[in-house]
Amino acid sequence: MSSVRVVRHARTRMIAAVATVCALSAALLAPQAVAADTPPYSETYRPQFHYTPQTNWMNDPNGLVYFKGEYHLFYQYNPHGASWGDMSWGHAVSTDLVHWKQLPLALSYDDEEMVFSGSAVVDRDNTTGFGTKENPPMVAIYTSHAPSTGTQAQSLAYSTDRGRTWTRYAGNPVIDIGSKDFRDPKVQWYAPTRSWLMTVSLSAEHKVRFYSSKNLKDWTQLSEFGPAGATGGVWECPDLFPLAVDGDKKHIKWVLVVNINPGGITGGSGAQYFVGDFDGEKFTADDPGTYTPPAGTVVQDFEDTGFGTWTTTGTAFGEGPAAGTLDGQGAVTGFDGKGLANSFHGGDATTGTLTSQPFTVTGSYLNFTVGGGNHPHQDGTVPERGATPEGTVLADFEGGTYGGWTTTGDAFGTAPASGTLPDQQQVTGWLGDGLVDSYLYGDSTTGTLASPEFTVDKDYIDFLVGGGNHPADSPDPTAVELVVDGKVVRSTTGNDDEALDWASWDVRELAGKQARIRIVDDNTGGWGHINVDHVVLSDTRARPVSRETSVNLLVAGQVVRSATGSNSESLDWASFDLRPYAGKQARIQIVDNNTAGWGHILADRFTLADAPARSVVQRADWADYGKDYYAAVSWEDTPDGKRYMIGWMNDWEYGGSVPTSPWRGAQSIPREMALRTVDGRIQLTSQPVKSVASLRTGKELTVSGTTLTSASRSLAGPLADGKALDIEATFTPGSAERFGLKVRTGADGRETVIGYDTTTQELYVDRTHSGAVGFSSAFPGVQRAPLTTENGKVKLRILVDWSSVEVFGGSGEAVITDQIFPDPDDQGVQVFAENGSVRLDEALVRHLGSYRD
């Protein structure tokens, strides 16, 4: 566990990317409270024109097929609650891809399997024998996940009544290679060979495999594709389809969509794609060519025997640059010349820093290569553990008993541990003589430990935590939970490390409430235990110790830019935007504060340049550049022959913590896909389906011919304001560095900014101040997508819903999908320009109603 990347096992969705978030942040918010008399679909954050189930958890879209006048949307669904688990196929149908009707559960989990993602086809020639030619069956091809073994195989179910009832095939599974990472079959009819074609993911290998069958039951392997493009996380939910380039039906290219988590363009979940050719057996991606980073002035290339004027602390970086791979390390690649900074001296157990002399910021960008561990810098951490916070100690686990705390199960025993338990790695960081340690009989046991009820009468609850990283929203958590009125309102987990460190919950909004602390170990796998000590109600927030492996830019002693590795010994390009700090004094600092797995950092070739270098992830092609577009797949057998795609509007970095209730999870607006030549490259583009127009209420506003200089102002008053809007805007850039629209604006600076940056030629969405953002440190931020002007104009199409924005730039080559959770009263729309002027040629704002109306 300590020397390999920890990713979520299969479709277990353990939200690995927020390990440090969960361990170091107490910003989880409670789901939005729902009054008992609140009508369904009217809750605070309930999307009005994006599909959501009435209750419970939903993620990946599945089984997208058109049959007898209905578009079918199946989806991953938990019939028992609003967290991931008991995965089954939910079901909804539509006649226009906009108005949806939820139907009863289609395929339910059982004791033998969970029903993971897959696809559906109409077997018109009855090749399976499941129906007749007069009444062809609808056949679902899904991944059967065996909870007892973790094995994933491909199975069939069929329906002869338009998907209302289903029968599992007695011969399941139809493909079983004995793998735990073999999932998400997308099946289609391939006319040239009159056979079925399956595209399925070998997730951990970053490969897509193709199979062929005449009857959906007996399959022959054809070929594999990958690894290629972004490979920082598992590959999932592949989709393969042909499209005409620029509408020319004589020029057909194939698109292979491969969803990846984590390691998407925003760091978490994402939908990348490849354009190429498919010959009936093999997919070949177009050659992207070689990449040459921008030229510039090299300020440190680690080619000398020593570090020069750069200074070190600790022992991790040695006495000079490394010549490549160090003892006990995997092969290091991607560095330039003969030397690099490598903190693996002495292995992962060593720590230290490597810091440049101060310099005056003169360039526009600092480009460099980085590799090693994925342990990002976290604001609020400290180099060394501070004093124990003072306050009301709820439990110090001294004296050989749990006091008034109650236990279930076997994991916690009958009394606190006195330190490291048999067969356990050394436990460190606790106080006194006792701690909670659920490793009593190894990772195989489970249980809970719950405090007596207490009154929240101070600002923070501080405690020490270590052990496994299995968040409360995962199926088998190892977590510390704060429970108020029977609901978990805060949660923290370990970091797959036996060293306990401080965590802190801000509980000021819960003042006066009665609460309990519950320590949960429901996990029997690796790191299936949790360590806790010294729980204290305090007016002081405890600060965790930094565990980062990062390259930082420091201005006035503060980290203003940071990059980390991707748990890889291969270095890749990264870039810091220096423009906001022009003329200021700065330092570069390479930090290794981590002693666990991948607890080292690699860096090389620091270069001042006029343009940013682009990483492999940035050079990959993305169907969407937002945080909330994943598991994107397309419909088969559409009546108009067009390719429509939909994605899960969420991200595994925080998907289980978004503050919605009694449901969790939404689907994006369905999109019409096309291939267009943009700036000399064939790109996948998307636009909202035309039937969105059927949701327009008739309330609309047009604004034209407005010039704005370094200001923000309301877009013609309340006629433009709203919570569900369809906005089309065209700008002529002037001298402004940034311009665009702000939506869902409200009091205290709350806003979601949708802008264009002329200095970088990027579309961006800034949701830093969009309302409720504190439930995960991975949530607030700015998402960017490359977008050049077209005929000197910037065109935007913006769909605003009660809890999301979808922004389509240009011809749909730049798309950003982001969830937002604003106050219901935040309904303003503004136009803005920063540091110069812009002309708003025209803005058309239309109000949208609910798809359920």
Side-chain angles (χ1 to χ4, degrees), residues 8 13 17 236 259-271 622 624-631 648 650-654:
R8 58 180 174 78
R13 311 295 197 186
E236 297 185 317
N259 293 271
I260 179 173
N261 176 68
I265 185 62
T266 65
S269 309
W622 300 94
D624 194 297
Y625 288 81
K627 290 286 284 187
D628 295 307
Y629 189 74
Y630 189 62
W648 179 48
N650 212 338
D651 191 305
W652 283 114
E653 286 193 293
Y654 47 73

Side-chain angles (χ1 to χ4, degrees), residues 4 77 162 166 175 219 244 267 269 278 281 294 338 344 378 472 494 529 596 613 699 721 769 828:
V4 299
Y77 184 68
R162 298 183 302 127
W166 292 84
I175 310 179
W219 293 89
S269 309
F278 182 72
E281 292 190 3
K338 61 184 181 181
F344 198 76
Q378 295 288 330
H529 63 280
K699 182 181 177 182
D721 295 351
H769 303 290

Side-chain angles (χ1 to χ4, degrees), residues 110-126:
D110 59 26
D111 292 340
E112 302 297 323
E113 67 177 13
M114 282 196 279
V115 185
F116 280 3
S117 289
S119 53
V121 297
V122 178
D123 184 12
R124 300 190 185 280
D125 294 332
N126 195 31

Side-chain angles (χ1 to χ4, degrees), residues 294-308:
T297 303
V298 176
V299 296
Q300 176 60 280
D301 57 7
F302 300 111
E303 293 300 288
D304 296 330
T305 56
F307 289 123

Side-chain angles (χ1 to χ4, degrees), residues 2-3 343-351 592 594-601:
S2 62
S3 62
S343 73
F344 198 76
H345 289 82
D348 281 332
T350 55
T351 61
D592 176 358
N594 199 291
T595 60
W598 286 105
H600 63 279
I601 185 79

Side-chain angles (χ1 to χ4, degrees), residues 827-842:
Q827 300 187 33
V829 179
Q830 298 178 2
V831 61
F832 75 93
E834 295 180 4
N835 300 326
S837 63
V838 68
R839 176 181 171 83
L840 174 62
D841 299 321
E842 184 175 67

Side-chain angles (χ1 to χ4, degrees), residues 388-395 457-458 460 462 534-540:
T388 301
E390 297 181 354
T392 304
V393 177
L394 298 177
D457 58 4
K458 295 186 183 300
Y460 302 97
D462 301 324
H534 205 79
V535 184
V536 56
L537 272 167
S538 177
D539 287 326
T540 301

Side-chain angles (χ1 to χ4, degrees), residues 110-156:
D110 59 26
D111 292 340
E112 302 297 323
E113 67 177 13
M114 282 196 279
V115 185
F116 280 3
S117 289
S119 53
V121 297
V122 178
D123 184 12
R124 300 190 185 280
D125 294 332
N126 195 31
T127 63
T128 57
F130 292 153
T132 65
K133 286 193 175 183
E134 295 74 24
N135 184 27
M138 185 185 294
V139 182
I141 308 94
Y142 64 92
T143 294
S144 173
H145 170 77
S148 60
T149 63
T151 301
Q152 297 177 355
Q154 315 318 317
S155 295
L156 306 179

